């Protein structure tokens, strides 16, 4: 793994108070980052022309938690991993409360499975130091024994690509357009600057925050663009409140 010039820190950010509590803002900020990294995973697969041997959605989830483990110092990485994993559980709870069935046909795995996959990769990256994390998240031993191997598989595939991106040095290939005054824009402005400082993609990638009529974020391969819907932030706040 190529060394980054600095490991990022999440908790040391001057937190911007937008919501009802600090805990809520931490949850929302962590999940905006986790989702952004997932979409960035789709963009990297497309731009770097990576072969994918299973569901691309699963690969993008792995990229997201792999990036959290790689880019951040331990305390921040742990905080992000807790909140982003809980985001999947909250989605599952919300669906259960609404008595919605699991959409087995969906390209995304069921939220409970995305939760355990995320927890497993993060735990597997450092099982000696992340035992408490695995226990807190209820990761059963039947799964946890395979997690170090699952992490090394992720490291073998994503690590190589990330190394190449880092070896290109700093640049301006992530282009954040038309940020508004939202928390999402604040976070992505900060994040895009940090990533540009450390790496480059083969082609520029545009990132926008715009209203789409639904709480979503996606990568558009035709436009080579990540769109983060303004509606997502409110949805994340609802999710946090559903956890209480
Ligand atoms: Zn996706």
């Amino acid at each position: 793994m190529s060394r980054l010039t600095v490991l990022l820190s999440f908790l040391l950010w001057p937190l911007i108070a937008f919501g009802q509590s600090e805990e809520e803002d931490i949850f929302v900020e962590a999940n905006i980052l986790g989702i952004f990294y997932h979409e960035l995973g789709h963009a990297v697969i497309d731009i770097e022309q990576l072969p994918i041997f299973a569901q691309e959605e699963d690969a993008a989830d792995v990229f997201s938690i792999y990036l959290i483990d790689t880019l951040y110092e331990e305390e921040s990485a742990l905080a992000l991993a807790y909140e982003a994993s809980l985001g999947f559980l909250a989605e599952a709870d919300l669906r259960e409360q609404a008595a919605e069935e699991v959409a087995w046909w969906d390209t995304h795995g069921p939220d409970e499975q995305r939760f355990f996959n995320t927890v497993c990769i993060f735990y597997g990256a450092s099982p000696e130091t992340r035992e408490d994390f695995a226990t807190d998240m209820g990761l059963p031993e039947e799964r946890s024994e395979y997690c170090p191997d699952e992490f090394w598989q992720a490291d073998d595939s994503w690590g190589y690509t990330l190394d190449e991106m880092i070896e290109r040095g700093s640049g301006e290939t992530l282009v954040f357009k038309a940020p508004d005054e939202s928390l999402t824009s604040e976070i992505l402005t900060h994040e895009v600057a940090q990533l540009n400082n450390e790496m480059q993609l083969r082609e520029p990638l545009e990132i926008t925050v715009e209203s789409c009529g639904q709480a979503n974020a996606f990568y558009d391969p035709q436009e080579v663009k990540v769109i983060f819907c303004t509606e997502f932030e409110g949805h994340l706040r609802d999710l946090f409140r559903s956890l209480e």
Side-chain angles (χ1 to χ4, degrees):
M1 182 73 231
S2 296
R3 287 295 110 214
L4 296 159
T5 53
V6 278
L7 285 176
L8 305 188
S9 163
F10 167 65
L11 292 174
L12 298 179
W13 285 19
L15 272 173
I16 315 137
F18 277 77
Q20 287 181 347
S21 68
E22 195 182 343
E23 288 77 22
E24 181 180 306
D25 281 337
I26 289 174
F27 176 84
V28 171
E29 293 186 26
N31 276 280
I32 287 173
L33 282 175
I35 292 158
F36 174 63
Y37 293 153
H38 172 101
E39 300 311 329
L40 192 59
H42 285 301
V44 169
I45 286 166
D46 182 37
I47 293 171
E48 305 289 330
Q49 297 172 358
L50 303 183
I52 293 296
F53 301 107
Q55 279 293 353
E56 182 172 327
E57 290 304 334
D58 292 340
D61 280 348
V62 171
F63 183 71
S64 178
I65 192 66
Y66 180 77
L67 218 50
I68 288 171
D69 177 71
T70 307
L71 297 183
Y72 288 84
E73 48 80 21
E74 184 64 12
E75 192 189 354
S76 299
L78 252 181
L80 285 169
Y82 268 104
E83 304 293 335
S85 308
L86 287 176
F88 288 124
L89 269 199
E91 290 279 7
D93 282 353
L94 213 62
R95 205 191 48 242
E96 216 169 277
Q97 284 163 24
E100 262 177 53
E101 299 221 358
V102 174
W104 298 109
W105 46 263
D106 195 2
T107 51
H108 298 87
D111 292 310
E112 289 93 334
Q113 187 156 49
R114 297 179 74 187
F115 165 77
F116 280 116
N117 289 343
T118 298
V119 167
C120 179
I121 300 268
F122 189 74
Y123 163 73
S126 182
E128 330 55 54
T129 59
R130 293 177 183 166
E131 192 77 44
D132 289 349
F133 172 77
T135 307
D136 290 350
M137 295 313 213
L139 184 68
E141 220 176 292
E142 291 93 322
R143 176 72 184 266
S144 67
E145 59 180 310
Y146 298 106
C147 296
D149 286 345
E150 290 191 41
F151 172 78
W152 288 114
Q153 280 181 342
D155 191 48
D156 259 355
S157 48
W158 281 115
Y160 177 80
T161 301
L162 203 56
D163 274 353
E164 280 201 336
M165 286 157 52
I166 293 168
E167 273 160 22
R168 291 178 197 141
S170 63
E172 297 288 332
T173 52
L174 298 183
V175 184
F176 186 41
K177 291 224 173 119
D180 53 23
E181 298 295 307
S182 66
L183 175 60
T184 307
S185 288
E186 295 261 5
I187 293 169
L188 294 184
T189 301
H190 180 268
E191 189 52 29
V192 162
Q194 300 260 37
L195 292 176
N196 277 335
N197 221 15
E198 300 290 346
M199 62 187 78
Q200 284 187 57
L201 290 166
R202 255 161 48 167
E203 273 178 53
L205 168 69
E206 194 181 320
I207 296 131
T208 61
V209 174
E210 51 191 85
S211 171
C212 357
Q214 55 176 324
N216 205 354
F218 51 94
Y219 172 64
D220 178 345
Q222 263 76 49
E223 305 256 342
V224 195
K225 179 173 162 183
V226 167
I227 295 134
F228 215 104
C229 305
T230 46
E231 292 85 351
F232 219 136
E233 206 178 298
H235 173 66
L236 289 171
R237 296 198 182 281
D238 290 343
L239 274 187
F240 178 80
R241 287 164 199 164
S242 80
L243 282 170
E244 287 175 316

